[in-house]
Amino acid sequence: MNFKIINNRGVFEIHGDFINEHTNQVATYFNNLLDTYYEVVICLNQVKRMDDTALNVMQFIAAKAKRRSKTLFVLGKENKRINKQFKTSNLNNIFKNDYDSK
């Protein structure tokens, strides 16, 4: 499946398979955003598949946001294709359910 990151009115949506071959692109993209913006919103609702490397990138993004005192919202708790992976990787706490992306 094609992979893309779409800026939908300030919500950065990841579409497609978030796997090893796309992790450098995601890491660079959000690394730059965290250097520029105080608040970053990532939506994972359209992610079809995620691997361990992608989970490591999400940990990197979350850690950088915390180190820089940035606000990071990660939407996608209802995406059952990736929710279990977040739970088993102890990343479930980065999901924000108090933010409405609609």
Side-chain angles (χ1 to χ4, degrees), residues 12-101:
F12 298 91
E13 299 176 353
I14 298 177
H15 290 252
D17 293 335
F18 184 9
I19 55 174
N20 185 41
E21 70 183 85
H22 304 117
T23 53
N24 285 337
Q25 178 185 354
V26 173
T28 301
Y29 190 91
F30 289 103
N31 192 31
N32 291 335
L33 285 178
L34 288 169
D35 286 340
T36 308
Y37 297 103
Y38 173 75
E39 179 180 291
V40 175
V41 181
I42 302 172
C43 181
L44 301 174
N45 287 332
Q46 300 302 317
V47 171
K48 304 294 182 204
R49 190 167 48 115
M50 215 170 177
D51 64 11
D52 289 339
T53 309
L55 291 169
N56 290 336
V57 168
M58 291 304 299
Q59 288 175 323
F60 165 78
I61 293 167
K64 180 170 183 171
K66 187 176 182 176
R67 277 193 317 273
R68 297 269 182 105
S69 299
K70 306 285 182 148
T71 302
L72 177 67
F73 290 100
V74 180
L75 311 175
K77 197 170 202 159
E78 61 277 0
N79 185 343
K80 297 196 184 315
R81 291 179 293 252
I82 63 168
N83 193 11
K84 186 176 180 180
Q85 288 177 282
F86 270 74
K87 283 181 184 174
T88 58
S89 299
N90 246 357
L91 278 173
N92 209 37
N93 61 336
I94 69 169
F95 278 121
K96 303 292 184 187
N97 30 348
D98 58 339
Y99 188 90
D100 186 11
S101 64

